[in-house]
Structure formats: structure tokens, C-alpha cells
Amino acid sequence: MDLVVCGIGGRMGGAVARVIQQTQGVKLVGAVDRPRSSRLGKDVGEVVGVGKLGVTVSDNIGSHLKGNVAIIDFTRPAASLGYLRDAAKRGIPIVVGTTGFTVREWNEIKRLSRRTRALVAPNMSVGVNLLLGLLGGVARSLGEEYDVEIIEMHHRFKKDAPSGTALALGRAIAGEWKRDLNKVGVFGRKGLVGERGKKEIGMLAVRAGDTVGEHSVIFGGLGERIEFVHRAHSRETFARGALRAALWLAKQNRGLYTMQDVLRLGKSG
Ligand code: NAD
């Protein structure tokens, strides 16, 4: 299978390209970065540190979209939507790892994915997706008396907060308890805020150094507390997940998928 990586100059784009190089049966045929990027015109292999590959970084995806090709995108929301439009136009499978989409952008993603195969996942790691699959059952067993707080920690360069993963974890619990995260989510607290509301789902985003990604989901009861913690040690976990998703997606019918589908965990809520 041929692959085009969007956002090749970024932390994730580089990790995906390196994993593609280590994997049999897949080939990097195109690499795209933003207009005016200092990487344009350079050899991809040299940009990502694996030695010359004979593929040049460009800002034009069009010429790569032919044959048995799939796109893996880790860029920024507006750019990802553009690549999704290109994929929809040509019926090419696309895996989007970018986070931070607005409700309006999500509606467009849903509309566009009717015309192609799209997989959008705020976190491509197997461990996080397993946790997402478990949380509904945990919330059901514990019951609504437990307070839920979610803490996420990422590197200082991350642009959106809270992380897409933290929101997905919150939604998995809120969905089980028939709550709307947009209404019950409390994103940090300061000052004389009063007692915790019974239905609140608290969320805190910590940004520190080069932290790859950590998520803690805390269920606090009277007399006990249960915590689920996931720590990503390196970006390789997301890159490997994205490649697994691309290989899986190529065999599916048109539609919008998540990592839960790839791992056959059922819907995350
Ligand atoms: P980064 O800033 O290191 O890289 C982003 C890259 O995208 C840069 O090279 C930038 O030049 C490029 N870019 C911007 N506009 C572009 C365009 N129009 N066309 C092509 N390239 C363009 O960021 P990162 O840490 O690699 O993260 C990228 C995205 O992936 C973020 O939204 C981040 O939250 C998300 N992310 C998702 C996962 C996951 O598992 N789904 C994991 C890590 C990061």
C-alpha cells in the first residue's frame, strides 16, 4: 500500500514516516507540509532522519493521489479538512489524527466521510482506546454517585486544550450517565466556586516540557477513589496506531470510523 503523510515536518508526521520505513508492505510515496514550510523541496528521508528516500516534500497533495494510496494526516484542523475534501473527491481513504475540531468542523467531517473512507481519532494508541471502551461499563457499575475528574498532561507545544482524548474520555462517561459534556464539563476551577456540583465532570489540562501524553480518569466516591492512568512513552505508539488504522481502513466501505472500530471494541459513546 502507498501512503501520503500530511504534516511531515511535524512531530507526528516524522514519527509516522519512520514507522512506515520500518514496516513491510507499505511505501511512503508522498509527503506534504504547509506552504512556505522550510522543509519544502527537501528529501523526506532526510527531514525525518532515516536517510535519502527519493521523495520530495511538497505543499501540493494532488499529484500523489492516484492508485492504491491512503493519506495519514497529523496537521491542524483547517488543513485536515482540506485534505479530507481532496480524499472525498477522489474516494481515497484518509486517517486523521489531528485534534481540536469545532462542532462545525465535525459536521463537515461527517458530511465528507459519506463519500470516502475516513477514520478520525484524537488518540491512536491501543491503550487509550481500550480505556475508552472500558469506561462506559465502569461508569455503569459504579453509578452516578461517583465524582469524575479527568486530568491530562502534554508537552508545552500543544495548541488545543483540553486534549481531544480527555474530551473523548469525558464523553464516554457522560454518555453512559445521559449527561451532555458541553453542559456538565468544568474546565479548571478558581476562586470561591462553591461545593462541587453533583453532575460535574471536571477537566484539567497541564502543559509541561516534553510530556508525550498522559491521561488520568478519577472516580471519587465516599470512602474510596479509583483511578485509571494511561501514559504514552513515545509518539511511536500513535504512529503505529495510525498505520494500523490506514491498513484496516483500506478494506472498509465508505463511512466515518474511529480506532474503536479498528480494535473491534464497540462504540466509545
Ligand atoms: P506539529 O506542530 O509538530 O506538526 C504539525 C505539522 O503540520 C507541521 O509540520 C506544520 O507545518 C504542518 N502543517 C500545518 N498546516 C499544514 C498544511 N496546510 N498542510 C500540510 N501540513 C501542514 O504538531 P504534532 O505534535 O505533530 O501534532 C499534529 C496534530 O496531531 C495536533 O492536532 C495534535 O494534537 C495531534 N496529535 C494526535 C495524536 C493522535 O494519536 N491522534 C497524537 C499526537 C498528536
Side-chain angles (χ1 to χ4, degrees):
M1 177 194 240
D2 290 346
L3 291 159
V4 177
V5 176
C6 300
I8 195 71
R11 289 172 286 263
M12 276 311 301
V16 171
R18 287 188 288 277
V19 165
I20 292 173
Q21 275 315 104
Q22 295 161 10
T23 308
Q24 283 193 347
V26 290
K27 189 171 171 223
L28 185 70
V29 296
V32 185
D33 212 85
R34 67 178 162 75
R36 291 183 298 280
S37 160
S38 59
R39 272 95 176 187
L40 298 183
K42 293 190 175 152
D43 187 278
V44 182
E46 289 182 340
V47 168
V48 306
V50 295
K52 235 183 168 94
L53 291 178
V55 177
T56 308
V57 178
S58 95
D59 61 355
N60 178 6
I61 198 171
S63 58
H64 303 301
L65 300 185
K66 46 183 183 260
N68 181 25
V69 72
I71 302 169
I72 299 182
D73 166 274
F74 284 90
T75 54
R76 45 175 54 214
S80 302
L81 272 178
Y83 296 127
L84 200 57
R85 276 183 218 113
D86 292 326
K89 222 180 279 167
R90 295 170 168 90
I92 284 171
I94 179 167
V95 170
V96 178
T98 304
T99 61
F101 293 107
T102 62
V103 172
R104 207 167 151 193
E105 287 168 334
W106 267 110
N107 288 336
E108 190 172 358
I109 290 171
K110 285 180 196 150
R111 195 175 56 73
L112 288 166
S113 54
R114 285 188 214 120
R115 288 157 53 201
T116 191
R117 291 151 281 173
L119 184 144
V120 185
N123 192 314
M124 302 272 179
S125 102
V126 171
V128 158
N129 283 285
L130 178 65
L131 183 55
L132 270 169
L134 291 175
L135 279 180
V138 172
R140 198 178 318 134
S141 298
L142 290 175
E144 295 204 38
E145 284 304 302
Y146 282 72
D147 300 329
V148 176
E149 297 280 318
I150 297 171
I151 304 170
E152 57 101 332
M153 193 189 297
H154 283 85
H155 51 88
R156 64 169 71 152
F157 308 106
K158 186 164 175 62
K159 295 183 181 67
D160 53 316
S163 69
T165 303
L167 291 170
L169 293 166
R171 272 196 298 269
I173 299 164
E176 185 58 39
W177 288 341
K178 310 261 179 304
R179 296 181 194 169
D180 178 354
L181 189 64
N182 291 321
K183 296 196 179 119
V184 300
V186 174
F187 300 90
R189 298 180 181 88
K190 188 186 179 209
L192 200 62
V193 292
E195 277 183 22
R196 189 186 195 284
K198 278 199 164 43
K199 293 196 182 254
E200 282 179 14
I201 292 183
M203 249 184 231
L204 194 63
V206 180
R207 296 290 172 262
D210 60 356
T211 312
V212 173
E214 300 191 7
H215 292 86
S216 303
V217 181
I218 301 162
F219 290 88
L222 298 180
E224 68 173 358
R225 187 174 78 235
I226 306 173
E227 301 187 8
F228 294 83
V229 182
H230 178 270
R231 294 191 180 97
H233 295 175
S234 88
R235 287 183 178 81
E236 193 174 327
T237 180
F238 309 126
R240 289 198 177 276
L243 184 55
R244 181 167 167 179
L247 291 166
W248 177 89
L249 190 61
K251 296 190 206 111
Q252 309 308 312
N253 295 322
R254 278 186 291 190
L256 180 59
Y257 300 94
T258 69
M259 277 306 274
Q260 302 283 296
D261 300 311
V262 181
L263 306 176
R264 298 200 200 126
L265 287 167
K267 290 288 172 197
S268 55

